[in-house]
Amino acid sequence: NNLHTAGLASRATAIHAFVGTEHAFAEVRDSGNGAWGMRMGPISDTGTPVLPLAEIAQSAKTGAPIMLKCDIEGGEREIFLNIRDWEHLIRYILLELHTEFLSVRELLSCLESSGYHWAIHGTPAEGAGIAFFLLERGKQRDLLANTRANSAS
């Protein structure tokens, strides 16, 4: 309903689901921070659907580059450890990173393992619990060249 009110219904897709790596269900869990800290609870047989990010991205109504707003209250670890599953579908990521679940160093490692180069806009404060980034997918990496270079050394 909000998309219609804002005039975005033809350009945006709202999906009632958690993002995960496989199909499942989960309940909403309060992290102790009220409405600002609601998180996906453990996988269960009931609750809100959990859908893979690749499936959600493929349901977009546009041929334009996809921008993902990623404010998933600790779900970053599961998503970015599986970056190769969806990296080709997302062009931009506006990321609120909860560093207690995935550190900045781990995020950078995930991006380095990607099949693409990622431009990272934003610098986290030392020891911050939350870091904000704009990630921009660049050109595809020549993974074969990287493999040859590693073999030669």
Side-chain angles (χ1 to χ4, degrees):
N1 204 14
N2 290 340
L3 293 176
H4 287 287
T5 302
L8 298 173
S10 65
R11 299 184 327 212
T13 305
I15 299 172
H16 179 76
F18 290 113
V19 63
T21 55
E22 55 189 57
H23 289 95
F25 291 93
E27 299 292 337
V28 176
R29 185 179 83 200
D30 185 345
S31 67
N33 296 311
W36 292 103
M38 302 307 272
R39 296 188 173 142
M40 183 173 93
I43 297 298
S44 66
D45 294 331
T46 61
T48 302
V50 178
L51 301 174
L53 180 54
E55 183 176 318
I56 293 171
Q58 289 170 338
S59 71
K61 293 180 179 177
T62 179
I66 295 176
M67 198 270 311
L68 173 68
K69 179 182 178 283
C70 191
D71 180 4
I72 53 177
E73 304 303 321
E76 301 90 342
R77 171 172 289 286
E78 182 175 1
I79 299 308
F80 281 96
L81 288 177
N82 292 284
I83 193 170
R84 299 299 294 268
D85 294 345
W86 53 265
E87 62 189 354
H88 60 289
L89 299 168
I90 307 292
R91 179 71 182 273
Y92 303 98
I93 303 169
L94 184 58
L95 174 62
E96 179 183 292
L97 177 67
H98 296 83
T99 59
E100 67 189 274
F101 300 102
L102 183 70
S103 71
V104 172
R105 180 174 285 137
E106 290 171 312
L107 171 67
L108 297 177
S109 177
C110 291
L111 295 174
E112 188 63 32
S113 75
S114 167
Y116 292 86
H117 295 279
W118 289 87
I120 303 165
H121 306 278
T123 305
E126 186 68 34
I130 296 177
F132 297 94
F133 298 100
L134 172 61
L135 307 174
E136 182 179 2
R137 189 189 75 214
K139 293 184 179 193
Q140 196 164 9
R141 295 180 193 273
D142 183 353
L143 296 177
L144 187 58
N146 291 344
T147 302
R148 286 189 301 257
N150 290 338
S151 297
S153 56

